[in-house]
Amino acid sequence: MIHPHALVDDLTAIGPDTNVWAFAHVMKGASVGSRCNIGDHAFVESGAIIGNNVTVKNQVLIWEGITIQDDFVGPGVVFTNDSQPRSPRMPQAEARYADRSNWLAATVVEKGCSIGARAVICPGVRLGKYSMIGAGSIVTKDVKPYTLVVGGPASERGYVCSCGQRLSGHYQDADCGVCGERGADRDAE
Amino acid sequence: MIHPHALVDDLTAIGPDTNVWAFAHVMKGASVGSRCNIGDHAFVESGAIIGNNVTVKNQVLIWEGITIQDDFVGPGVVFTNDSQPRSPRMPQAEARYADRSNWLAATVVEKGCSIGARAVICPGVRLGKYSMIGAGSIVTKDVKPYTLVVGGPASERGYVCSCGQRLSGHYQDADCGVCGERGADRDAE
Amino acid sequence: MIHPHALVDDLTAIGPDTNVWAFAHVMKGASVGSRCNIGDHAFVESGAIIGNNVTVKNQVLIWEGITIQDDFVGPGVVFTNDSQPRSPRMPQAEARYADRSNWLAATVVEKGCSIGARAVICPGVRLGKYSMIGAGSIVTKDVKPYTLVVGGPASERGYVCSCGQRLSGHYQDADCGVCGERGADRDAE
């Protein structure tokens, strides 16, 4: 379902059963999987890659170089892909922006990761599977799987189950009291 | 006044003399009072409740479970209602999202509260009347009335008058040098 | 180029070769120079002043009292112009909002400054030329030229060249290993 106030530049970029809501914009050259939900005012740039069952909440900004596997992404999350940004039209910056390899740092969000509201993901990081990023965090380095990080810059605060529940110990040891998932069954990769 | 580029799914959700500006979206099932101002790119979800004389600045995100009494709300403020978010379409999360009582944590913003730009309000808090939240703060717990909080996580930094002025002492003691409001007249409830 | 889904209230406010993208809104009474790029969902209020070659990325909020010289501005940046905001329709706030001089604090972003994603610029500051503001920072005071600031509140972390490169020493001493700009040629004003 493409909302009548949404803007999808190329419908072939969107998988089946994916919704795009009002005032969201998916550019030509983006890739969005099936059964996704792209919230109001979200933006998906050419070259961004989004998997299946992904919930991109309102106002999320996703650029070229960002890959999101099967995940939740919270409201107002901003990704980034350039750690030394300058206006590309400044003479001093022309050499830098002549070649993507000079500036574009790719980010990967692995399966099942949740990112809290208004978090900022700095360029070139990997967010491990089923990790959870606290609201308003500023993520400056890789996050391990099943790990909760909070703050600016974000630091480790504990572990979470794939169902979202906080765990009482390391994710490879602690069984989940809510969904019953066993620590021994969680894979570090 | 509904701006021609605004989207109001159900005009009966909007009180008299309320403005909704360009690219804002008020969903069906939301409730917005009279003499409010809903800025550009704001989003008000079904089930959100907004009182009278409320200034919802641009890009504010207001969800089900959020109640805003008669207030100012600053630009880019994000509310939240789920402290352990997962993509609802993940098999591990199905049980959690089958019932609102499992995940929805309500927030109340009391009369006269001001929230600074880009603040994030974590799930399940109460912001006391005439309190003031600093720009960019991350509010993780209740805020007392007439109290200024700043930072991530937000902590108390002093007191403010209902007119917005910083006070030299506790809000129930300090009279305001600007509007003349007396500390003894401020109610702790 | 004005995108068909953009909203420019007065085309004479926009200089030649400036692009305004989808769902962006430039109000009447704003001033935008030439060869600028105003990204999706950005908002430029009446009275805001933007120079030439400025890249206003997506969702940036620019208000009356904000002047941006020839710069980059990152995604989701929020400017502010009122340090004690209250809802203007509250009786206690009427006197304050009767006169702009009571509440409006102007901000200047000097030539070549870069502002990282989701940064908040508090009221009444000056961001020096070619300075760089880290992603997610909360800027509460002036930033010196060619200076990198990070954090909430933002503090100095080093120096950058006009091309964006980190410098090994003070900006008036250190030559740039990338673009060759000499420290002695950088002006403190």
Side-chain angles (χ1 to χ4, degrees):
Chain A
M1 195 280 309
I2 310 298
H3 189 283
H5 286 71
L7 178 58
V8 177
D9 293 346
D10 174 6
L11 286 170
T12 68
I14 304 287
D17 300 318
T18 280
N19 299 318
V20 184
W21 294 96
F23 309 124
H25 185 187
V26 179
M27 290 188 73
K28 183 172 176 172
S31 169
V32 180
S34 59
R35 298 175 304 282
C36 292
N37 211 47
I38 311 292
D40 279 46
H41 307 105
F43 176 78
V44 183
E45 194 179 41
S46 307
I49 299 171
I50 296 178
N52 301 318
N53 297 318
V54 175
T55 301
V56 173
K57 293 286 286 182
N58 303 42
Q59 293 183 7
V60 176
L61 299 177
I62 305 177
W63 314 100
E64 179 181 4
I66 313 298
T67 299
I68 299 182
Q69 299 174 356
D70 304 352
D71 301 300
F72 173 91
V73 178
V77 173
V78 179
F79 292 91
T80 56
N81 59 13
D82 183 356
S83 59
Q84 298 178 339
R86 287 301 196 196
S87 187
R89 295 168 186 191
M90 280 172 42
Q92 299 100 318
E94 273 178 16
R96 175 169 169 77
Y97 291 105
D99 185 337
R100 271 180 176 67
S101 66
N102 289 340
W103 62 271
L104 197 148
T107 285
V108 176
V109 181
E110 295 185 350
K111 178 177 171 55
C113 170
S114 302
I115 307 179
R118 279 272 181 275
V120 178
I121 312 301
C122 288
V125 302
R126 175 174 285 265
L127 308 184
K129 67 178 178 181
Y130 300 109
S131 60
M132 188 171 282
I133 315 301
S137 295
I138 301 171
V139 179
T140 58
K141 56 185 183 182
D142 290 359
V143 176
K144 298 197 185 84
Y146 300 95
T147 298
L148 171 68
V149 300
V150 173
S155 59
E156 295 187 10
R157 305 295 169 96
Y159 303 99
V160 290
C161 182
S162 68
C163 76
Q165 187 64 25
R166 281 293 290 273
L167 294 171
S168 58
H170 189 274
Y171 68 90
Q172 291 188 292
D173 297 323
D175 300 339
C176 179
V178 171
C179 77
E181 186 176 77
R182 297 180 60 238
D185 292 338
R186 296 194 190 100
D187 185 351
E189 291 311 302
Chain B
M1 194 279 310
I2 310 298
H3 190 283
H5 286 70
L7 178 58
V8 177
D9 293 345
D10 174 6
L11 286 171
T12 68
I14 304 286
D17 300 317
T18 280
N19 299 318
V20 184
W21 294 96
F23 309 123
H25 185 188
V26 180
M27 290 187 73
K28 184 173 176 172
S31 170
V32 180
S34 59
R35 298 176 304 284
C36 292
N37 211 46
I38 311 292
D40 279 46
H41 307 102
F43 176 77
V44 183
E45 194 180 41
S46 306
I49 299 171
I50 297 179
N52 301 318
N53 297 318
V54 175
T55 301
V56 173
K57 293 286 287 182
N58 304 42
Q59 292 183 7
V60 176
L61 299 177
I62 304 177
W63 315 99
E64 178 181 5
I66 313 299
T67 301
I68 299 182
Q69 299 175 357
D70 304 352
D71 303 300
F72 173 91
V73 177
V77 173
V78 178
F79 292 92
T80 56
N81 59 13
D82 184 355
S83 59
Q84 298 179 339
R86 287 301 195 196
S87 186
R89 295 169 185 190
M90 279 173 44
Q92 299 99 317
E94 272 178 17
R96 176 170 168 77
Y97 291 105
D99 185 338
R100 271 181 175 68
S101 67
N102 288 339
W103 63 270
L104 196 149
T107 286
V108 176
V109 181
E110 294 186 350
K111 178 176 170 55
C113 170
S114 303
I115 307 179
R118 280 271 179 274
V120 178
I121 313 301
C122 290
V125 302
R126 175 173 287 264
L127 308 184
K129 66 179 178 180
Y130 299 109
S131 60
M132 188 171 281
I133 315 301
S137 295
I138 302 172
V139 180
T140 59
K141 57 184 182 182
D142 289 359
V143 176
K144 298 198 185 84
Y146 301 96
T147 299
L148 171 68
V149 300
V150 173
S155 59
E156 295 187 11
R157 305 296 169 95
Y159 303 99
V160 290
C161 182
S162 68
C163 77
Q165 187 63 26
R166 281 292 291 271
L167 294 171
S168 58
H170 189 273
Y171 68 91
Q172 291 189 292
D173 297 324
D175 301 339
C176 180
V178 171
C179 76
E181 186 176 76
R182 297 180 58 238
D185 292 339
R186 294 193 192 101
D187 186 350
E189 292 310 304
Chain C
M1 193 281 310
I2 310 297
H3 189 283
H5 286 71
L7 178 58
V8 177
D9 293 345
D10 175 7
L11 286 171
T12 68
I14 304 287
D17 301 317
T18 280
N19 299 319
V20 184
W21 295 96
F23 309 123
H25 185 187
V26 179
M27 290 187 73
K28 184 172 175 172
S31 170
V32 180
S34 59
R35 298 175 304 284
C36 292
N37 210 46
I38 311 291
D40 279 46
H41 307 104
F43 176 77
V44 183
E45 194 181 41
S46 307
I49 299 171
I50 297 177
N52 301 318
N53 297 318
V54 175
T55 301
V56 173
K57 293 286 288 183
N58 303 42
Q59 294 183 6
V60 176
L61 299 177
I62 305 177
W63 314 100
E64 178 181 5
I66 313 299
T67 300
I68 299 181
Q69 297 174 356
D70 304 352
D71 302 300
F72 173 91
V73 177
V77 173
V78 178
F79 292 92
T80 57
N81 59 12
D82 183 356
S83 59
Q84 298 178 340
R86 286 301 195 195
S87 186
R89 295 169 185 188
M90 279 173 43
Q92 299 99 318
E94 273 178 17
R96 175 169 169 77
Y97 291 105
D99 185 338
R100 270 180 175 67
S101 67
N102 289 340
W103 63 271
L104 197 149
T107 286
V108 176
V109 181
E110 295 186 350
K111 178 177 171 57
C113 169
S114 303
I115 306 179
R118 279 270 181 274
V120 177
I121 313 301
C122 289
V125 302
R126 176 173 285 265
L127 307 183
K129 68 178 178 181
Y130 299 109
S131 59
M132 188 171 281
I133 315 301
S137 295
I138 301 172
V139 180
T140 58
K141 56 185 184 183
D142 290 359
V143 176
K144 299 198 186 84
Y146 300 96
T147 298
L148 171 68
V149 299
V150 173
S155 59
E156 295 186 10
R157 305 295 169 95
Y159 303 99
V160 290
C161 183
S162 68
C163 77
Q165 187 65 24
R166 281 293 292 271
L167 295 171
S168 57
H170 189 274
Y171 68 90
Q172 290 188 293
D173 298 323
D175 301 339
C176 179
V178 171
C179 77
E181 186 176 77
R182 296 180 59 239
D185 292 339
R186 295 194 191 100
D187 185 349
E189 291 311 304

